[in-house]
Amino acid sequence: DAIGDALLRRAIAEYVSLARGVRCSPEQVVITAGAQHAMDLLLRVIGRPGEQAWIEDPCFPGALAALRGAGLQPVPVPVDDDGIDVDRARRLAGEARVALVCPSKQFPLGHVMALHRRLALIEWARERKAWVIEDDYDSEYRFSGKTIPSLQGLDGGEFVIYVGTFSKVLFPGLRLGFIVAPPILVDPIVAVRTLA
């Protein structure tokens, strides 16, 4: 099944709901061959070649490659201690319809996106009817305190697409990742997944 094993999708939905505050059902979970594969699939579905997309600066090189591979024009947006600077991003590329971020632990700086920036990013997505890809590659690892709830949970899963992986907590060779997509995107993602 191109969407992935039903038992695995149910287990992932339960896990991310409890551990990360993600709002989803097993029907919204699509299994992928890692987070990189998930981003590639998503950008091919939600992106339009030539359009601008926000990406954190600095960023994970694989995310940048996925944007370019889908034909999008990456717009590097500075990151500070509070995460991506949404106001600056609006000035740099106000017409963008896609943002790719790591709010739980920015790669490579390790900053956690502040609540006011998370809310500003969600507000932008709602205003623009834009998509935010939340790359949650290793939120399981923290030095102190509780894990901060996901951006997707704050949004309710309307405009934020959650991407996770088990490469950090299990082992990279497993190549197991997943997407928690808004219901409207599940069928298009599965259609592209079937061809990939």
Side-chain angles (χ1 to χ4, degrees):
D1 189 342
I3 198 168
D5 180 78
L7 291 175
L8 178 59
R9 290 185 299 112
R10 185 175 331 140
I12 289 172
E14 289 173 7
Y15 169 71
V16 295
S17 294
L18 291 171
R20 302 292 298 120
V22 171
R23 298 183 195 179
C24 72
S25 68
E27 293 75 29
Q28 292 174 259
V29 178
V30 179
I31 305 301
T32 64
Q36 184 71 32
H37 181 221
M39 285 185 272
D40 180 66
L41 283 173
L42 283 171
L43 291 167
R44 292 179 191 281
V45 171
I46 64 174
R48 296 182 188 140
E51 79 178 352
Q52 295 178 317
W54 297 355
I55 189 161
E56 296 169 321
D57 183 22
C59 69
F60 174 59
L64 185 59
L67 283 172
R68 289 183 176 145
L72 280 79
Q73 180 186 349
V75 177
V77 180
V79 173
D80 60 23
D81 290 348
D82 288 341
I84 193 169
D85 187 336
V86 178
D87 291 334
R88 181 106 178 252
R90 285 178 182 260
R91 291 192 302 274
L92 289 170
E95 297 300 311
R97 288 186 48 258
V98 174
L100 208 158
V101 297
C102 299
S104 297
K105 188 179 191 181
Q106 199 278 333
F107 185 92
L109 301 177
H111 301 309
V112 175
M113 188 183 293
L115 180 60
H116 72 277
R117 290 271 175 87
R118 290 171 186 245
L119 295 175
L121 189 57
I122 290 168
E123 180 183 336
W124 165 79
R126 288 181 177 162
E127 285 173 10
R128 294 274 310 138
K129 303 274 188 275
W131 297 109
V132 177
I133 299 173
E134 177 178 11
D135 180 5
D136 195 16
Y137 67 96
D138 77 343
S139 64
E140 291 85 3
Y141 296 109
R142 300 198 43 84
F143 290 110
S144 64
K146 291 178 129 181
T147 302
I148 295 171
S150 69
L151 188 61
Q152 191 269 6
L154 285 173
D155 169 59
E158 191 174 357
F159 294 101
V160 178
I161 307 162
Y162 185 87
V163 171
T165 180
F166 295 104
S167 292
K168 304 294 186 211
V169 294
L170 294 176
F171 53 91
L174 189 58
R175 301 304 311 148
L176 183 62
F178 59 92
I179 299 166
V180 176
I184 194 169
L185 290 179
V186 172
D187 287 341
I189 291 168
V190 173
V192 171
R193 173 78 172 92
T194 302
L195 298 173

